Amino acid sequence: MKARVLNNPSKVADFWDWLTHRPQGYVACDIETGSNPGGHELDIFKPGFHVRMMQFGDADGGWAVPFQEWRGLVKGAFDWISESRTQHVWHNGFGYDAQALRQEGIIIDPTCMQDTQIWAGLTGFAGESRALKTLARRERGDFGINTSIGADRLHTGMKNAGWTWTD
């Protein structure tokens, strides 16, 4: 699995080639948000809110794209996803991520959007946690266990260091 960060213009062509040649026929998407000091990290309608990272991926790897530096490229990526009718998969995409991107001026085409949080509610988990790592642990055995180990370590490290998601 190869994870890359788009941190200079020389990588734009590699990102675009990866995005536009999807052997899987889908792209998984996620955002990370932030706030200015005194702002509100998760409340999209409060001053200081911003999308700080856009992530695109598939089963083989993906790209982390610093949103504020590459806003035009992210918009172009979603324009291409819409025009090509590429399936894009999110977790809570309808409920949060698409709304956060709308606040940043990017409109996501919902017609090819899949939301795993909604699917989890429709497939028997409506009364249980639909958090992504909880679902992975419950549904995918070893894969989910490995996924949650990283999340558990991250949360412990953040707590011990006094960090928040803004850090």
Side-chain angles (χ1 to χ4, degrees):
M1 186 174 287
K2 186 172 184 178
R4 294 159 283 206
V5 177
L6 185 60
N7 55 11
N8 66 60
S10 67
K11 294 184 179 181
V12 170
D14 291 337
F15 166 74
W16 200 257
D17 184 58
W18 174 88
L19 178 68
T20 58
H21 295 90
R22 312 263 3 104
Q24 292 88 349
Y26 73 91
V27 61
C29 302
D30 189 25
I31 64 168
E32 300 300 331
T33 60
S35 65
N36 297 325
H40 301 274
E41 183 176 331
L42 296 175
D43 190 338
I44 62 176
F45 301 109
K46 296 286 185 180
F49 172 85
H50 62 276
V51 174
R52 63 181 178 81
M53 187 72 68
M54 182 69 226
Q55 299 164 95
F56 298 94
D58 62 20
D60 297 323
W63 287 85
V65 181
F67 183 83
Q68 299 302 316
E69 292 87 348
W70 297 100
R71 175 188 306 265
L73 183 67
V74 171
K75 182 181 181 328
F78 282 112
D79 288 347
W80 181 86
I81 287 169
S82 177
E83 291 167 14
S84 67
R85 310 294 302 149
T86 298
Q87 293 292 309
H88 44 111
V89 181
W90 302 75
H91 190 76
N92 199 21
F94 282 112
Y96 186 76
D97 298 70
Q99 302 307 316
L101 287 168
R102 179 182 292 270
Q103 287 297 104
E104 295 278 9
I106 295 177
I107 309 300
I108 304 298
D109 177 4
T111 61
C112 293
M113 187 176 187
Q114 301 291 325
D115 192 326
T116 57
Q117 189 172 55
I118 292 172
W119 282 111
L122 295 172
T123 58
F125 296 107
E128 301 176 39
S129 171
R130 286 183 269 160
L132 184 58
K133 289 173 186 69
T134 301
L135 289 170
R137 186 173 31 243
R138 200 166 38 219
E139 291 297 301
R140 296 291 177 215
D142 291 340
F143 172 76
I145 290 168
N146 292 335
T147 302
S148 62
I149 288 171
D152 293 343
R153 287 182 181 166
L154 175 63
H155 288 284
T156 299
M158 288 173 66
K159 181 179 177 183
N160 291 343
W163 295 339
T164 68
W165 289 108
T166 312
D167 300 314

